[in-house]
Amino acid sequence: MVRSPVGKVTPAPAAPSPLPARVILPGAVLGVMGGGQLGAMFAMAAKRMGYRVEVISDSEDCPSAHHADRVHVGAYDDTRKLEQIAQALDVLTFEFENVPVDAARAMQEVVPVRPDPLVLFTTQDRAREKAFLVEHGFGCAPHRVVRSQDELHAAVAALGLPAVLKTAAFGYDGKGQRKIEHSSAVDAAWEALGPEACVLEGWVDFDCEISVVAARGLDGATAVFEPSRNAHRHHILDVSSAPAGLPQAVCDTARDMASRILANLGVVGVACVEFFVTRDGRVLVNEIAPRPHNSGHLTIAACETSQFEQQVRAVCGLPLGSTQQLAPAAMANLLGDCWANGEPDWAAALAVPGVSLMLYGKSDPRPGRKMGHLTALAPTVEEAIANATKARGLARRDVDR
Ligand code: AMP
């Protein structure tokens, strides 16, 4: 196994990269497809480093609009308009994976697109992503691709129950998923999610879920962050913390797999690999996001280089930064539910030691909508988790003071 200590950048492989090596320096114009909070935090990192940022979004009132130099509002598949926008950019990246691949390919005729649209193609479809994992020998949940009710019954017979049926495309935060506990529920699951292609996964009785954010540069060098341990509520990430509190061998395996997945996909940029850690210590890939990830937000406060600065460095062909973590950290998501008792009490939250606040500038706090996050740094990860969740409870006004 290739082990790289956290913080160190693994040098580029010896073979010369076929990619053009032009470094995109501060002052240049970076384009981002998508106007959400990931684009906003990318823009903050890029602006701080002296770049101009132009965002392409389907909505004018998007989090990135508060931070970018320019927002182009339009459809993500309006190829003609996108090609025009691309003329003014030095590089294009994206902050969500469901960018139409054809549009990304069209823009690639005009401007470097990083990661390559092929990475989007592989990761925006669970069936293709699983085929990639199997082909390259990365462990994942047992699964079958199903395209009809009969195929679903055959897959259930092969994998057993419980299992989880997932639409192959456009799933996130548990959307487009159905857990099937009994054979009597198979047809209802197909009615809910078919007839689009789906993937049936055997249920993984995991000990915990972790994720690894990693970056890969234009020269093939990689830099891998510490794994985060992730706790979900109602299928949405609730709290991420690092260090993950797992045996070193498990962390090393996850980091090594993430690094090799980025290399095998040919990513230039940042990606996150989510894993299940089984009770017997196996590390199985759940899914890959070819962009910075919610579980990596704690890198902003806790690491020498944040995942967003790392994305800027990678797509610009700059050297990757150190991923060294400076203190144990925990991040608690702030969903729209936190506004249920009125405007949250930010002063109370920020009185908790080591806590910082990031709000995404969204105006409508709908339940389940990611509005921001709190990060706590502390001497131990247990204290960081306790302080992040305490701060959130205080903000939500739902705990005794
Ligand atoms: P996903 O959208 O695929 O990341 O799934 C959302 C969440 O559902 C995961 O973070 C897990 O908590 C749970 N989950 C998904 N697939 C499985 C599986 N095969 N076995 C057990 N839990 C799963």
Side-chain angles (χ1 to χ4, degrees):
M1 183 194 298
V2 186
R3 258 190 68 177
S4 65
V6 175
K8 296 285 181 304
V9 176
T10 307
S17 163
L19 295 163
R22 187 171 83 86
V23 178
I24 296 164
L25 292 169
V29 186
L30 314 185
V32 191
M33 284 277 253
Q37 61 266 20
L38 300 178
M41 288 182 268
F42 172 86
M44 285 183 223
K47 296 288 298 167
R48 191 166 51 81
M49 294 168 74
Y51 291 96
R52 277 182 59 81
V53 177
E54 298 199 7
V55 163
I56 301 157
S57 171
D58 59 0
S59 136
E60 203 171 352
D61 178 26
C62 61
S64 296
H66 306 292
H67 304 282
D69 295 284
R70 191 164 176 194
V71 181
H72 301 274
V73 180
Y76 294 122
D77 58 359
D78 184 349
T79 310
R80 281 251 303 271
K81 183 169 176 190
L82 292 172
E83 278 171 344
Q84 261 174 16
I85 295 168
Q87 307 282 350
L89 305 177
D90 290 291
V91 67
L92 176 74
T93 189
F94 38 82
E95 61 108 52
F96 73 116
E97 56 271 37
N98 287 323
V99 169
V101 173
D102 288 345
R105 285 204 170 118
M107 293 181 87
Q108 201 176 25
E109 300 289 314
V110 185
V111 65
V113 177
R114 296 176 183 150
D116 191 278
L118 187 60
V119 179
L120 289 174
F121 180 75
T122 305
T123 55
Q124 63 187 208
D125 180 287
R126 287 185 196 276
R128 283 198 288 268
E129 185 173 289
K130 288 275 195 290
F132 162 83
L133 293 170
V134 170
E135 185 190 337
H136 291 88
F138 295 107
C140 55
H143 61 275
R144 295 281 187 285
V145 178
V146 293
R147 293 193 175 77
S148 69
Q149 199 157 348
D150 286 348
E151 284 185 8
L152 177 58
H153 280 281
V156 167
L159 298 178
L161 294 176
V164 54
L165 185 66
K166 303 179 179 182
T167 52
F170 296 114
Y172 69 99
D173 287 346
K175 294 194 171 61
Q177 298 198 14
R178 276 286 182 109
K179 186 175 180 185
I180 307 176
E181 311 249 19
H182 304 288
S183 50
S184 58
V186 172
D187 290 337
W190 182 253
E191 267 158 42
L193 300 185
E196 301 304 325
C198 289
V199 175
L200 184 76
E201 286 181 20
W203 191 252
V204 179
D205 183 23
F206 55 78
D207 173 46
C208 67
E209 292 181 86
I210 61 171
S211 55
V212 174
V213 174
R216 187 165 174 275
L218 204 48
D219 59 358
T222 56
V224 186
F225 289 93
E226 274 280 0
S228 293
R229 179 188 281 251
N230 300 325
H232 295 85
R233 279 198 82 205
H234 308 303
H235 292 286
I236 301 174
L237 183 64
D238 185 43
V239 174
S240 281
S241 55
L246 291 167
Q248 192 62 47
V250 171
C251 294
D252 289 345
T253 300
R255 294 181 66 245
D256 174 62
M257 285 169 77
S259 174
R260 288 188 293 116
I261 284 171
L262 266 71
N264 282 309
L265 278 172
V267 169
V268 174
V270 164
C272 176
V273 184
E274 294 179 59
F275 298 97
F276 299 125
V277 180
T278 65
R279 295 182 198 285
D280 57 358
R282 283 177 304 136
V283 180
L284 304 177
V285 177
N286 174 20
E287 61 183 7
I288 307 165
R291 51 165 172 78
H293 192 260
N294 194 168
S295 62
H297 291 354
L298 57 77
T299 62
I300 298 173
C303 294
E304 279 185 19
T305 311
S306 76
Q307 61 171 349
F308 298 102
E309 177 175 335
Q310 205 71 297
Q311 186 183 18
V312 174
R313 287 172 176 247
V315 302
C316 290
L318 290 166
L320 301 177
S322 163
T323 54
Q324 187 68 46
Q325 192 173 335
L326 304 172
M331 183 244 30
N333 265 337
L334 298 167
L335 303 184
D337 315 59
C338 291
W339 276 249
N341 300 324
E343 185 64 20
D345 187 346
W346 301 125
L350 289 169
V352 179
V355 166
S356 58
L357 170 67
M358 178 83 81
L359 287 175
Y360 306 147
K362 298 180 184 175
S363 48
D364 179 16
R366 292 190 300 272
R369 189 177 195 205
K370 290 177 182 169
M371 302 295 291
H373 65 265
L374 291 161
T375 308
L377 302 185
T380 66
V381 73
E382 291 77 16
E383 274 177 78
I385 295 169
N387 286 350
T389 49
K390 179 181 174 190
R392 183 172 58 185
L394 287 166
R396 213 162 41 196
R397 304 167 194 274
D398 64 1
V399 289
D400 294 334
R401 284 141 208 257

